[in-house]
Amino acid sequence: MRFIASSRYNTKSLAMLNKALRKAWHNKLLAVLHGILWLFVASALLLFVLSLLFGLADSAAVWRNGVTALLLLLFLTMEDRIFGFLAKRALLPGTETAVTEFLTDEYITTTGAGKTQWKYSAVQCIAETSDAFFFILGKRSGQVYEKTSLQGGTVEEFRHFLEETTGKTIRTI
């Protein structure tokens, strides 16, 4: 069977890839860090609100803590988008779009910068959302394949093909 899928590496798709990387690896240290940051944000916002209620709002430290908590809250809720934006800026020229042909023993990606042949053994994990499939190649690298661009079969056939070819179970995120 032969499938073809295209990819657009824009801020949105790279943000989804960052989320897939984060969720696929289940990094315990990162999960603990996120938990600590959420705890800090909640306690700092609670202290800020209590300080406002009890008339301590004129203290500079109260306002600094409130602003710090809001900035951390903003970061935690937009983390994937921030890293997607940074990844977009780091893309090599000509690699913003890619077309990939999936064969039985390898897959070939063609971009404006060139052609790359990949072995399925390089794929460490496969993740899926409602919009795309993600090949996780390492802790900081991966590839995006949009479901709407898929040619050569249905999404279900492609999912079965990937699981059979790579020997990996696809994780839904």
Side-chain angles (χ1 to χ4, degrees):
M1 206 164 230
R2 182 175 160 244
F3 292 95
I4 297 175
S6 64
S7 308
R8 287 174 290 154
Y9 289 98
N10 53 30
T11 304
K12 181 182 176 185
S13 65
L14 290 168
M16 290 189 322
L17 178 59
N18 186 70
K19 181 178 180 180
L21 286 165
R22 194 169 37 83
K23 296 220 179 232
W25 283 109
H26 299 295
N27 188 335
K28 291 178 184 173
L29 180 62
L30 187 60
V32 169
L33 178 63
H34 275 175
I36 291 169
L37 287 175
W38 278 111
L39 188 63
F40 175 77
V41 167
S43 60
L45 285 175
L46 179 65
L47 286 173
F48 180 71
V49 169
L50 290 175
S51 297
L52 288 176
L53 290 175
F54 292 111
L56 302 174
D58 56 341
S59 169
V62 170
W63 287 99
R64 264 195 313 271
N65 287 343
V67 169
T68 302
L70 287 174
L71 289 174
L72 277 174
L73 181 64
L74 184 68
F75 174 78
L76 285 170
T77 56
M78 298 185 67
E79 174 186 6
D80 294 324
R81 285 184 234 152
I82 291 168
F83 288 124
F85 171 77
L86 294 174
K88 171 77 169 110
R89 291 181 48 126
L91 281 178
L92 296 173
T95 59
E96 298 87 3
T97 59
V99 175
T100 303
E101 182 179 6
F102 297 90
L103 306 171
T104 51
D105 56 340
E106 66 183 2
Y107 62 104
I108 303 166
T109 301
T110 305
T111 66
K115 207 178 235 191
T116 308
Q117 292 178 302
W118 300 86
K119 295 288 182 194
Y120 289 108
S121 59
V123 178
Q124 296 181 9
C125 177
I126 303 173
E128 177 184 9
T129 63
S130 59
D131 298 327
F133 287 97
F134 303 92
F135 281 13
I136 309 300
L137 303 174
K139 290 192 183 235
R140 296 180 139 177
S141 61
Q143 300 163 333
V144 180
Y145 303 105
E146 299 168 6
K147 290 181 178 180
T148 57
S149 70
L150 188 62
Q151 300 172 14
T154 65
V155 172
E156 186 59 43
E157 290 171 335
F158 185 58
R159 185 182 299 113
H160 179 71
F161 170 79
L162 290 177
E163 287 181 336
E164 187 178 285
T165 307
T166 63
K168 303 200 180 317
T169 303
I170 297 175
R171 297 181 187 179
T172 303
I173 55 170

